Amino acid sequence: MDISIIGANGSTGKHIANRILLERILLPTDRLQLVGRAKGSSGQALYGFRQDLKDAFAERCPIIDIALHPEEVVADIIIMTAGSTIQAHNNPDAPPPSRDELAIYNQQIAIPYAEALAKYGHGHEVVIVVTNPVELIVVIFSQRYDRHRVVGMGAYQDSLRFRREVARSVNVSREAVHAMVLGEHGDGIVPVWSGVTIQGFSDNETQRAIRTVRSSIKSIDFPQTLLRMRNEIIKIAQKGDLAEAFQFFDKLPPDIRIMVGPFLTLFSGTKTDIATANATIDFIKSMLSGKDTVIAAQVSLDREFMNVTAPIGAPVIISPKGWDAVYPISLSDGEQYLFLETARSIQEKMQVWKV
Amino acid sequence: MESLENEPLPEQVIILIVRDQPGTLFQISAVFSNRGISMSSIQLHEESIPCNGKRCTRLIIRFFGEESRKKIIIRLLSRLDCVLESDDSG
């Protein structure tokens, strides 16, 4: 098996490469392809990065290949991490980062890779999209390649965060919590409280625990609650006291912490690349396990779930071939409303971004 | 009754110019073996070919598989440092 990392010189790409080697996901006879751009410093830096990996992993190291043009990308799994990221916004006088600007910039980076894959690919590659806005990049690849082989990481990472935050509030381990986040990897997230199960808890105990910890009784109130609590934490953070902001964060409900956690991390001047790389590696392991696994991930739906046609986080069955089908789960009325509103919002954004 | 007989796979031929150095054959054969392909024959030309001052040789590999498999195998082989040129015999 070969894995290609587009954007391997970025911090997330580097962490993913490191984890692939550390966890021996590739054999010494396999190939890890590091993809950068011929123009600019990233292409040059990849030669040094390759040397660093070889120094670190020596005889356990797979073949490490460097590609500087989209048509040179060839692998069984292609991880798309290239692009700009949302920068920390810790200057109260500066405008918040524009999601539209990020989208337009990253779209231009992704299109040549998607077109090269459509032209030179052999139809068996699986594309894992990490770059944001993940819905946009998923649709760019899905329009040019088999959409069932294009999977976005956002909802998977959000679900990991949701499980961790619920576990923290209930005081159990993350492994004991089964939970999903659907919708958008952004403000349009849909935490599926109706599907939460906690190992060792009866249905009644689970319901009581959820009622105690969730941000609002009704899912329909979630977006407003999120906005209000995020504004409160922004005020604290803008005073420059990040310790106090994180103390406040710890007291927030778990569904709010999913969104505010990464935001506050960026605000502090740190990136979320380690958690993103961890989620990506976790995802690859699930996919390669050979077992059909149900996860939440951004896919380009064509009416398979709630009649939605949009790139959106949905419950899907993954295998080494990508996502085979949508897994039918039932949502509460409020969750359905949020999911459909998010789908509508994503469709509008796609029109703005001219996809 | 369902037939278990399949159409025979066509024979594919790949011609490579490779570096004459330790490990070349190992890396090339790994590309095939990791994808479940058995090479039906390997023909290594004894005469070295000068190639940018380095010792190179011509390698002819035959295997049975679909055209699409040959296409991806050639692309994968071309990413190896030890492979300087790759071509198929049509």
Side-chain angles (χ1 to χ4, degrees):
Chain A
M1 184 181 67
D2 294 351
I3 297 178
S4 182
I5 304 172
I6 303 174
N9 197 48
S11 57
T12 303
K14 278 184 171 168
H15 279 294
I16 291 172
N18 182 43
R19 288 287 300 274
I20 286 171
L21 299 197
L22 196 63
E23 303 202 19
R24 303 190 193 191
I25 291 172
L26 293 178
L27 301 169
T29 54
D30 291 330
R31 188 173 51 92
L32 175 66
Q33 187 175 50
L34 309 175
V35 185
R37 284 191 281 179
K39 291 177 185 171
S41 58
S42 82
Q44 300 299 315
L46 283 181
Y47 290 95
F49 180 44
R50 172 167 69 176
Q51 185 58 36
D52 198 25
L53 289 174
K54 284 180 177 177
D55 283 345
F57 296 99
E59 63 279 353
R60 285 174 12 213
C61 205
I63 298 163
I64 303 182
D65 172 31
I66 291 172
L68 301 180
H69 300 96
E71 60 272 20
E72 293 173 346
V73 175
V74 51
D76 303 293
I77 295 175
I78 297 168
I79 306 170
M80 176 64 187
T81 71
S84 187
T85 55
I86 294 173
Q87 299 298 313
H89 171 227
N90 51 12
N91 180 356
D93 300 323
S98 161
R99 197 173 163 86
D100 285 347
E101 283 174 7
L102 180 80
I104 291 163
Y105 182 77
N106 287 351
Q107 185 176 12
Q108 295 312 311
I109 291 174
I111 287 174
Y113 290 104
E115 287 180 345
L117 179 63
K119 189 172 179 183
Y120 301 107
H122 67 303
H124 293 270
E125 297 91 342
V126 173
V127 181
I128 299 172
V129 176
V130 178
T131 306
N132 282 314
V134 65
E135 292 82 12
L136 171 66
I137 309 300
V138 162
V139 88
I140 284 170
F141 276 90
S142 297
Q143 284 172 343
R144 294 162 174 86
Y145 190 65
D146 180 356
R147 68 188 175 97
H148 281 276
R149 291 182 176 272
V150 181
V151 188
M153 279 297 303
Y156 187 73
Q157 189 174 3
D158 290 336
S159 297
L160 283 179
R161 282 192 179 119
F162 188 36
R163 287 173 55 205
R164 185 181 106 77
E165 297 299 354
V166 170
R168 194 149 72 101
S169 290
V170 181
N171 205 27
V172 296
S173 69
R174 175 159 71 181
E175 289 74 23
V177 177
H178 179 266
M180 269 189 191
V181 171
L182 307 180
E184 186 190 30
H185 185 50
D187 284 356
I189 64 164
V190 182
V192 184
W193 281 109
S194 64
V196 171
T197 59
I198 307 168
Q199 193 183 347
F201 281 46
S202 69
D203 288 350
N204 184 34
E205 286 170 332
T206 304
Q207 291 310 315
R208 287 174 68 90
I210 287 172
R211 267 200 301 275
T212 310
V213 301
R214 67 181 287 179
S215 64
S216 49
I217 300 297
K218 294 176 183 171
S219 290
I220 203 167
D221 297 330
F222 172 70
Q224 282 302 320
T225 312
L226 171 63
L227 195 64
R228 180 169 51 78
M229 291 185 171
R230 186 164 56 190
N231 285 339
E232 284 179 42
I233 212 160
I234 284 174
K235 282 180 190 166
I236 300 170
Q238 282 179 337
K239 286 192 297 184
D241 192 345
L242 266 293
E244 189 190 340
F246 274 101
Q247 277 177 2
F248 183 77
F249 166 78
D250 285 338
K251 293 173 191 155
L252 294 174
D255 46 356
I256 303 296
R257 288 203 299 263
I258 309 170
M259 283 299 294
V260 175
F263 174 81
L264 208 51
T265 302
L266 288 170
F267 209 102
S268 74
T270 310
K271 290 184 176 178
T272 57
D273 43 9
I274 296 175
T276 304
N278 179 61
T280 308
I281 295 299
D282 201 54
F283 178 86
I284 291 171
K285 284 179 173 175
S286 297
M287 202 176 71
L288 297 179
S289 70
K291 295 176 273 186
D292 286 350
T293 310
V294 178
I295 62 154
Q298 265 74 14
V299 296
S300 192
L301 286 181
D302 186 14
R303 300 183 187 280
E304 289 100 339
F305 186 67
M306 295 187 64
N307 218 23
V308 161
T309 303
I312 193 166
V316 291
I317 302 166
I318 57 156
S319 73
K321 294 187 295 180
W323 66 281
D324 294 329
V326 162
Y327 186 77
I329 62 167
S330 54
L331 305 179
S332 69
D333 289 348
E335 289 159 358
Q336 283 186 36
Y337 173 82
L338 282 187
F339 187 84
L340 292 173
E341 278 297 298
T342 295
R344 189 185 52 73
S345 160
I346 290 172
Q347 285 164 344
E348 283 177 6
K349 285 174 191 169
M350 294 303 146
Q351 284 180 352
V352 171
W353 296 334
K354 296 183 173 61
V355 178
Chain B
M1 188 175 161
E2 205 174 323
S3 171
L4 293 176
E5 286 185 19
N6 294 318
E7 282 187 22
L9 292 169
E11 185 181 58
Q12 308 290 355
V13 182
I14 294 175
I15 302 168
L16 305 172
I17 304 294
V18 299
R19 284 201 177 137
D20 184 1
Q21 64 184 26
T24 291
L25 210 50
F26 175 73
Q27 288 190 356
I28 289 168
S29 60
V31 170
F32 287 84
S33 65
N34 288 348
R35 283 162 182 78
I37 298 172
S38 177
M39 292 182 274
S40 55
S41 82
I42 306 173
Q43 192 180 345
L44 188 67
H45 284 233
E46 285 186 22
E47 289 173 26
S48 286
I49 303 167
C51 195
N52 295 330
K54 289 172 183 153
R55 285 181 60 196
C56 298
T57 190
R58 180 178 283 113
L59 194 63
I60 302 173
I61 300 170
R62 291 183 165 82
F63 69 98
F64 290 94
E66 301 288 358
E67 186 68 24
S68 59
R69 292 274 266 183
K70 181 167 78 172
K71 186 181 159 193
I72 185 63
I73 289 289
I74 288 176
R75 293 199 75 216
L76 291 165
L77 289 170
S78 69
R79 300 308 305 166
L80 299 175
D81 283 344
C82 61
V83 175
L84 302 176
E85 286 178 32
S86 55
D87 199 0
D88 62 77
S89 71

